[in-house]
Amino acid sequence: MPHSSDSSDSSSFSQSPPPSKQDPSDDMRKVQRREKNRIAAQKSRLRQTQKADTLHLESEDLERQNAALRREIKQLTEEMKHFTSVLSSHEPLCSILTSPPPPPEVLYATHSFHQPHISSPRFQH
Amino acid sequence: LCLSCVSVGQILPANRNTPSPIDPETIQVPVGYEPDPADLALSSIPGQEMFDPRKRKFSEEELKPQPMIKKARKVFIPDDLKDDKYWARRRKNNMAAKRSRDARRLKENQIAIRASFLEKENSALRQEVADLRKELGKCKNVLAKYEARHGPL
């Protein structure tokens, strides 16, 4: 990932004008605090960019999955359409439909394997 | 009563009788997605339309890791050189920096909401795929049984 960065060196500040009424120990504390803050800020920025990068990668992945799923659905529904058109063109030719009504026992046998298909909640009666 | 007693309209529920050819982009799957209104507010610009994760897609270009601009070193400027022009420049830069930070924050929030919407949508799409495969399986099964008894259609 292209992160060309910047002021990671600690000498980005030239010395401030000499403090009046301040101990050298105060100075040292100030310097230490500044350095700590600098590091903390750097860490925070790093965390933020990493979080964003992760999110972006996830996002791209989700879009790809989404597109693939839509393509799959398209293919499957086209298969279903083909199937139903095959069935409807078979209907006028169907040997069961065109032959004279068979005795009840035979009808029962023919029906049994259709039942689960017909009664599926997905179908509208 | 034969295989084909279930008519075309019944195999595909009415709301799925889409006209061919099917454009995958228009495939709608019910996604019950309610983003946190606070998050939505953080992702929308007040003057404009509310952010809609369903429509707003982020391109690969937008999602690429942001190249970092090299920051100029801080040079100390003594007070006497801090004239009005200086402060005018500072103000301008501070405003620009704020706009930049705000824009970035907004964009990240939008991307996050879109991502969680996509998660929900993807699981709905997966369910649809599973359902379709199951139905197709049943149809093929019925057909196979018919063909076993009565020969090919």
Side-chain angles (χ1 to χ4, degrees):
Chain A
M1 294 179 224
H3 284 177
S4 48
S5 205
D6 57 1
S7 47
S8 45
D9 52 322
S10 42
S11 54
S12 39
F13 269 104
S14 333
Q15 278 307 310
S16 342
S20 48
K21 295 182 183 178
Q22 279 171 354
D23 287 306
S25 59
D26 275 359
D27 261 2
M28 191 157 70
R29 246 175 278 148
K30 270 196 184 167
V31 166
Q32 282 173 340
R33 240 181 294 147
R34 243 180 276 156
E35 180 63 12
K36 270 180 80 180
N37 180 256
R38 184 191 71 83
I39 294 173
Q42 189 180 49
K43 236 205 234 167
S44 168
R45 284 191 299 266
L46 202 64
R47 245 182 295 135
Q48 184 189 37
T49 45
Q50 278 177 353
K51 184 173 164 210
D53 288 344
T54 305
L55 177 65
H56 293 200
L57 279 175
E58 257 177 42
S59 216
E60 267 177 27
D61 184 49
L62 286 168
E63 300 276 7
R64 267 194 299 265
Q65 281 182 39
N66 195 273
L69 287 166
R70 286 172 190 272
R71 281 192 300 268
E72 198 178 352
I73 290 179
K74 170 180 173 166
Q75 184 229 324
L76 289 171
T77 48
E78 274 168 8
E79 247 185 276
M80 279 298 264
K81 275 169 74 170
H82 168 261
F83 204 92
T84 55
S85 77
V86 159
L87 285 184
S88 52
S89 51
H90 164 76
E91 196 172 341
L93 315 164
C94 182
S95 53
I96 302 179
L97 285 177
T98 53
S99 61
E105 317 89 64
V106 181
L107 258 181
Y108 245 96
T110 329
H111 284 186
S112 62
F113 64 79
H114 294 306
Q115 285 317 312
H117 187 55
I118 300 170
S119 57
S120 159
R122 212 166 197 262
F123 297 152
Q124 294 163 7
H125 295 277
Chain B
L1 286 133
C2 164
L3 293 162
S4 36
C5 60
V6 184
S7 68
V8 179
Q10 286 179 308
I11 288 192
L12 287 177
N15 66 349
R16 289 296 308 272
N17 250 331
T18 51
S20 52
I22 308 174
D23 174 8
E25 296 302 308
T26 62
I27 296 175
Q28 289 287 3
V29 175
V31 184
Y33 182 69
E34 287 311 319
D36 184 342
D39 292 339
L40 251 189
L42 286 171
S43 307
S44 312
I45 303 175
Q48 299 176 15
E49 245 180 70
M50 190 66 99
F51 176 64
D52 181 1
R54 288 167 200 262
K55 304 200 187 113
R56 178 71 168 94
K57 187 169 164 166
F58 291 90
S59 66
E60 298 253 344
E61 187 58 38
E62 291 170 294
L63 292 175
K64 273 209 301 256
Q66 309 298 297
M68 220 131 286
I69 309 248
K70 287 194 221 233
K71 199 165 148 179
R73 264 190 180 207
K74 283 191 221 215
V75 283
F76 179 74
I77 301 205
D79 288 345
D80 59 322
L81 280 173
K82 295 188 183 172
D83 63 346
D84 288 345
K85 286 218 177 97
Y86 168 83
W87 287 117
R89 283 200 305 270
R90 282 310 320 144
R91 184 180 144 80
K92 197 171 160 206
N93 178 250
N94 289 344
M95 303 295 286
K98 175 169 158 58
R99 282 195 301 270
S100 171
R101 286 190 306 264
D102 292 345
R104 188 194 205 189
R105 218 176 332 223
L106 186 88
K107 185 179 170 192
E108 293 305 316
N109 286 341
Q110 290 181 339
I111 294 180
I113 293 188
R114 167 88 181 158
S116 56
F117 165 74
L118 282 177
E119 267 176 27
K120 289 254 164 77
E121 190 180 51
N122 283 4
S123 78
L125 287 172
R126 270 180 237 282
Q127 184 61 52
E128 180 76 8
V129 166
D131 292 346
L132 281 172
R133 287 193 185 279
K134 190 167 161 211
E135 291 313 316
L136 258 179
K138 285 184 182 172
C139 288
K140 290 190 169 166
N141 188 35
V142 164
L143 178 62
K145 287 187 172 163
Y146 177 89
E147 289 193 330
R149 263 177 166 256
H150 302 104
L153 281 187

